[in-house]
Amino acid sequence: MAESTTISNTDNLLKFLKLDQQGSVMAEYIWIDGSNGVRSKTKTLSGPVKSYEELSEWNFDGSSTGQAPGDNSDVYIRPCAIFPDPFRGGENILVLCETWDPDGSPNKFNYRHEAARLMEANAKHKPWFGLEQEYTLLGPDGWPYGWPKGGFPGPQGPYYCGVGTTKVYCRDIVEAHYKACLYAGIKISGVNAEVMPAQWEFQVGPCEGIQLGDHLWLARFLLHRVAEEFGVVITFSPKPVPGDWNGAGLHANVSTAEMRQDGGMKHIEAAIKKLEKRHEEHIAVYGEGNRERLTGQHETGNIDQFSWGVADRGASIRIPRQCAKDGKGYFEDRRPASNADPYQITGMMVETIFGGLPEENLAKT
């Protein structure tokens, strides 16, 4: 019998994963709950599917996920994307879903629906996004993984992109997550150790439109599932350890067709001016606890001030030096916290740069 109650006994599980499923397929329905986390449950299908459109709507008890009251608890989950399942293999799939209320309206925590409408309305601009997801590994006691119990490691400096014992912590999880994402078809573009020990980052993108949010949320789900195997807790807290330690962000790299063309810098600068005018509105959807992170220190701008610059990691918006040299490309919004919702980030970005949905614009005139 395993000594730990938090670490999966994978060796025992493997012999069952090899069993014939007699033509049936296991579909893991995944949704975002009322506390910005992920939930899932499994449905048996009679055979393999090639598209999410072949899958049926399902439901769950929303009163147990913070998404509905107890006297009207049914919330419906509608498939919107499917991915190969790296844990079960074979024809088994992961199913990303939107949440809907019984009256046919999107659940209040369904940020994907509005973002998808904005992406569709502005598809001609071909918005590309790349998000840099930082996160921290914690032990079951809530203390950063690998840190001395009740104590601290040496000061920041040797850990960013570090190599070697005492410089990185639990690379196994990072490697396993990377492979799981690649198997699932997630557009993960890289990983690296971050400035604070036990903090890591993976990047998703470039993706066009709503695909970024889909892939980022699935990558988060996979990270939590992989961490189960090691008995490690994943936190997306933007400031997991107070004091002289870096926080965790979700930097958003943004580019449009106009920005990628020769002379695109004028479109980048025009977008930045629009972002400045809606600074407070963006901050409102850029994650919980972000004030503790956006202090103007540890490679952040001040949450109450908007700023931008070339190669400036202490600014709200950074234009990469190479883009400034080329006069085109993309910009990086460094304000989002690590726990921000990618649908809200990308949806708000498109709305700010290109305006709201057509019917909303019409209503304002």
Side-chain angles (χ1 to χ4, degrees):
M1 181 178 292
E3 294 181 2
S4 173
T5 59
T6 59
I7 301 175
S8 298
N9 198 324
T10 308
D11 289 339
N12 285 345
L13 175 62
L14 284 175
K15 59 187 177 184
F16 295 101
L17 290 177
K18 297 176 183 178
L19 296 177
D20 190 345
Q21 295 180 195
Q22 303 296 318
S24 295
V25 167
M26 301 163 77
E28 191 76 11
Y29 277 53
I30 302 162
W31 69 95
I32 302 155
D33 67 15
S35 57
N36 202 38
V38 284
R39 307 280 181 128
S40 72
K41 62 178 183 174
T42 312
K43 171 182 282 192
T44 302
L45 308 179
S46 60
V49 298
K50 295 183 178 180
S51 169
Y52 73 87
E53 295 174 337
E54 299 177 53
L55 298 170
S56 62
E57 186 178 85
W58 207 5
N59 62 75
F60 65 91
D61 172 14
S63 69
S64 296
T65 63
Q67 291 170 279
D71 60 356
N72 189 21
S73 62
D74 285 359
V75 177
Y76 295 88
I77 38 180
R78 298 180 183 176
C80 56
I82 60 173
F83 302 82
D85 188 336
F87 304 107
R88 293 167 172 149
E91 301 284 354
N92 301 304
I93 56 174
L94 304 176
V95 184
L96 183 66
C97 302
E98 287 190 11
T99 52
W100 289 74
D101 290 336
D103 63 1
S105 62
N107 185 264
K108 64 180 180 180
F109 298 103
N110 179 358
Y111 301 121
R112 184 186 189 277
H113 177 67
E114 186 75 2
R117 294 175 67 209
L118 284 161
M119 298 304 173
E120 184 178 0
N122 294 285
K124 65 180 180 181
H125 299 290
K126 298 187 179 300
W128 290 1
F129 303 99
L131 265 61
E132 305 169 24
Q133 177 69 75
E134 295 177 339
Y135 62 94
T136 307
L137 305 172
L138 305 177
D141 59 357
W143 197 239
Y145 191 88
W147 286 31
K149 296 299 180 184
F152 299 89
Q156 295 182 153
Y159 311 110
Y160 172 68
C161 297
V163 177
T165 303
T166 75
K167 295 180 181 178
V168 293
Y169 298 79
C170 213
R171 190 186 294 271
D172 295 9
I173 289 177
V174 178
E175 292 293 323
H177 174 248
Y178 202 164
K179 292 281 283 189
C181 284
L182 291 173
Y183 180 94
I186 301 295
K187 288 190 175 180
I188 184 170
S189 49
V191 300
N192 61 267
E194 266 302 331
V195 178
M196 188 183 85
Q199 187 185 83
W200 291 82
E201 173 184 299
F202 65 88
Q203 303 92 35
V204 172
C207 297
E208 187 169 327
I210 200 64
Q211 186 185 59
L212 187 283
D214 291 348
H215 282 226
L216 197 283
W217 270 114
L218 250 295
R220 284 178 173 177
F221 169 82
L222 293 176
L223 182 59
H224 283 298
R225 282 284 283 105
V226 167
E228 287 180 18
E229 303 286 335
F230 297 85
V232 171
V233 177
I234 303 297
T235 179
F236 295 112
S237 169
K239 190 67 175 179
V241 182
D244 194 18
W245 303 98
N246 272 38
L250 185 59
H251 301 156
N253 299 282
V254 182
S255 180
T256 66
E258 296 83 359
M259 295 176 189
R260 295 189 290 273
Q261 296 172 356
D262 289 341
M265 186 56 64
K266 65 181 180 182
H267 295 283
I268 292 174
E269 292 178 354
I272 292 173
K273 291 179 180 178
K274 293 178 180 179
L275 289 169
E276 182 174 14
K277 293 178 180 178
R278 300 189 74 195
H279 176 63
E280 292 182 1
E281 294 172 75
H282 278 259
I283 289 296
V285 301
Y286 275 6
E288 297 293 327
N290 213 9
R291 181 167 291 277
E292 286 70 32
R293 168 180 164 263
L294 295 181
T295 62
Q297 298 179 323
H298 301 109
E299 301 181 80
T300 70
N302 188 291
I303 194 169
D304 296 317
Q305 300 172 352
F306 183 90
S307 60
W308 67 279
V310 175
D312 186 355
R313 283 178 165 77
S316 306
I317 305 293
R318 178 182 71 94
I319 298 176
R321 188 169 299 284
Q322 188 62 46
C323 292
K325 180 180 178 181
D326 295 341
K328 61 181 178 180
Y330 69 98
F331 66 87
E332 177 193 41
D333 189 341
R334 297 180 59 79
R335 295 173 294 173
S338 50
N339 59 8
D341 187 304
Y343 296 132
Q344 289 188 291
I345 294 172
T346 56
M348 176 72 85
M349 188 65 67
V350 167
E351 182 182 83
T352 296
I353 296 174
F354 299 115
L357 294 166
E359 59 267 34
E360 293 173 348
N361 288 336
L362 184 63
K364 294 176 182 177
T365 59

